[in-house]
Amino acid sequence: MLFPGVTQLDLTGPAQIFSRLPDTELSFAWHRIEPVLTDAGFAIVPNTTLTAAPQADVLFVPGGQGVFELFEDDVALEFLRRQSTGARYVTSVCTGSFALVAAGLLRGKRATSHWASLGLLERFGVTPTAQRVVHDGNVVTGAGVTSGMDFALSLAAEVFSPDVAKRVQLAIEYDPSPPFDAGSPERPEADAAQVEQTIEAMRGLRGPLVDRAVDRLSQRRML
């Protein structure tokens, strides 16, 4: 699913891997077939709408600040609920897990997200899990942004086979060797002050939106 404000690498990293899998067709769905602006300043054009999209075998939601605007988008949330009933896998990367949980799809599950917002998942009755890729039944979630590559290869190995996933990894030369060891809060070169300040900022920015979404979900369960 696409949406304005999507973090483009959350989407395009996994999409690059999915596009190389055998007998696989990618659908990019949003309300309208018109350019959707990403957080990187360029747009991606959907090829179907939320109402016309075919049933997915793998339902995938990327992350980005735009996810939190989906909390009150009943059409988008109903799309996720409807697709999830027939999907073999329900998946996300980064804060895409918040769209799934706002649709009521992750309660009681283990899931991950970007480290800066991970703790907020607990307010929905989810067990936040600080791993790069988390499998819980047919739910597969990836952590922040670049974790989408690991997520997609892990899912490819499960849906097809490890050999298929390895061939795709080789074809795209996914052999990360970052120049710094600062890629997650646990790494030795990560700035502890930056971690603390970012988590606090996300609590202030996203916490009230999360609380409203929790209330909406509770009211829906009561109906």
Side-chain angles (χ1 to χ4, degrees), residues 144-194:
V145 193
T146 61
S147 303
M149 304 290 283
D150 295 8
F151 150 83
L153 288 170
S154 175
L155 189 62
E158 187 165 333
V159 174
F160 293 93
S161 72
D163 284 343
V164 167
K166 290 174 187 178
R167 286 197 292 270
V168 173
Q169 180 179 0
L170 178 59
I172 64 173
E173 198 173 352
Y174 178 52
D175 185 25
S177 181
F180 309 108
D181 196 4
S184 77
E186 294 77 23
R187 304 311 301 171
E189 294 184 33
D191 185 330
Q194 178 186 351

Side-chain angles (χ1 to χ4, degrees), residues 1 7 44 49 64 100 122 124-125 142 156-157 161 166 179 181 186 194 198 216 223:
M1 185 172 75
T7 294
I44 297 174
T49 65
L100 295 179
E122 191 170 13
F124 287 98
S161 72
K166 290 174 187 178
D181 196 4
E186 294 77 23
Q194 178 186 351
T198 303
R216 280 171 54 92
L223 296 177

